[in-house]
DNA sequence: CGATTTTGACCGGCGC
DNA sequence: GCGCCGGTCAAAATCG
């Protein structure tokens, strides 16, 4: 999220192509992920909407932590994955730019918040649970 | 110092 | 059975 920070060290880990014995095995076997993956959310609430904005994405007042970036073939633009960083709140947000209209961004919310937004305290406005949508077609 | 970001690699499912 | 795609995580680096 740093547009001005374009100075990236090109000399990163170059000797990692092979198979390091004592090197950090990193992703050896992560049971945590396996267990989590096992969960088949049948009734997952998804709310997606398209908005015209020049910014990367809109901030609902929640704190989003980017946990991944992927480039889809359908779109020359990368897809960003965000996760709500809050205690017990595992809401995920997917932000992708329109292929034809770069000015448009598609924001997809996945899951529901377990806590009110930090901004809600400031605004003190009631938030109806009309965000629950079992949308099957994005 | 802590939280967050960034990139690459891996996993899991599905298609052929 | 293998390949492809999409999604997630983890370590390192950076910012405040």
């Amino acid at each position: 999220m740093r547009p001005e920070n374009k100075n990236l060290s090109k000399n990163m880990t170059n000797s990692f192509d092979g198979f390091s014995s004592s090197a950090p095995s990193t992703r050896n076997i992560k049971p945590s992920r396996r267990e989590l993956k096992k969960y088949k959310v049948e009734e997952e609430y998804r709310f997606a909407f398209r908005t015209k904005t020049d910014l990367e994405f809109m901030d609902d007042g929640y704190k989003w932590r980017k946990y991944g970036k992927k480039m889809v073939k359908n779109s020359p633009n990368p897809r960003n994955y965000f996760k709500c960083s809050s205690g017990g709140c595992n809401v995920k947000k997917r932000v992708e730019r329109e292929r034809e209209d770069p000015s448009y961004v598609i924001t997809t919310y996945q899951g529901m918040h377990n806590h009110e937004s930090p901004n809600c305290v400031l605004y003190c406005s009631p938030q109806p649970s009309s965000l629950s949508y079992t949308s099957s077609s994005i």
Side-chain angles (χ1 to χ4, degrees):
Chain A
M1 238 158 137
R2 259 147 230 92
E4 50 203 35
N5 194 10
K6 288 284 181 182
N7 251 356
L8 270 165
S9 5
K10 292 143 191 155
N11 284 343
M12 268 170 89
T13 41
N14 45 10
S15 49
F16 240 72
D17 55 339
F19 215 83
S20 320
S21 40
S22 64
S25 330
T26 46
R27 225 117 326 100
N28 229 359
I29 280 283
K30 274 318 162 146
S32 317
R33 185 211 252 173
R34 250 222 187 131
E35 268 182 64
L36 224 84
K37 250 303 193 169
K38 277 291 183 194
Y39 275 95
K40 194 68 173 287
V41 272
E42 42 186 71
E43 294 271 329
E44 186 55 84
Y45 293 102
R46 271 207 277 189
F47 186 65
F49 55 93
R50 175 173 45 49
T51 315
K52 177 184 178 289
T53 173
D54 298 337
L55 303 169
E56 296 167 54
F57 65 95
M58 300 161 286
D59 196 53
D60 307 45
Y62 295 98
K63 294 288 172 274
W64 300 98
R65 168 181 131 266
K66 194 191 325 192
Y67 71 87
K69 175 168 56 191
K70 198 63 189 254
M71 217 191 227
V72 260
K73 284 180 188 248
N74 277 342
S75 309
N77 312 311
R79 185 179 280 173
N80 298 280
Y81 300 93
F82 291 90
K83 203 221 287 190
C84 184
S85 50
S86 296
C89 191
N90 279 327
V91 183
K92 284 175 275 187
K93 182 163 76 170
R94 180 183 313 151
V95 180
E96 188 191 345
R97 273 180 159 75
E98 258 287 18
R99 182 165 76 91
E100 293 294 323
D101 295 286
S103 312
Y104 283 81
V105 286
I106 301 172
T107 314
T108 311
Y109 286 89
Q110 194 172 122
M112 292 183 288
H113 290 282
N114 280 303
H115 64 94
E116 299 299 325
S117 77
N119 263 6
C120 186
V121 185
L122 305 169
Y123 290 98
C124 222
S125 54
Q127 189 135 3
S129 48
S130 52
L131 276 162
S132 321
Y133 266 85
T134 343
S135 68
S136 38
S137 55
I138 171 170

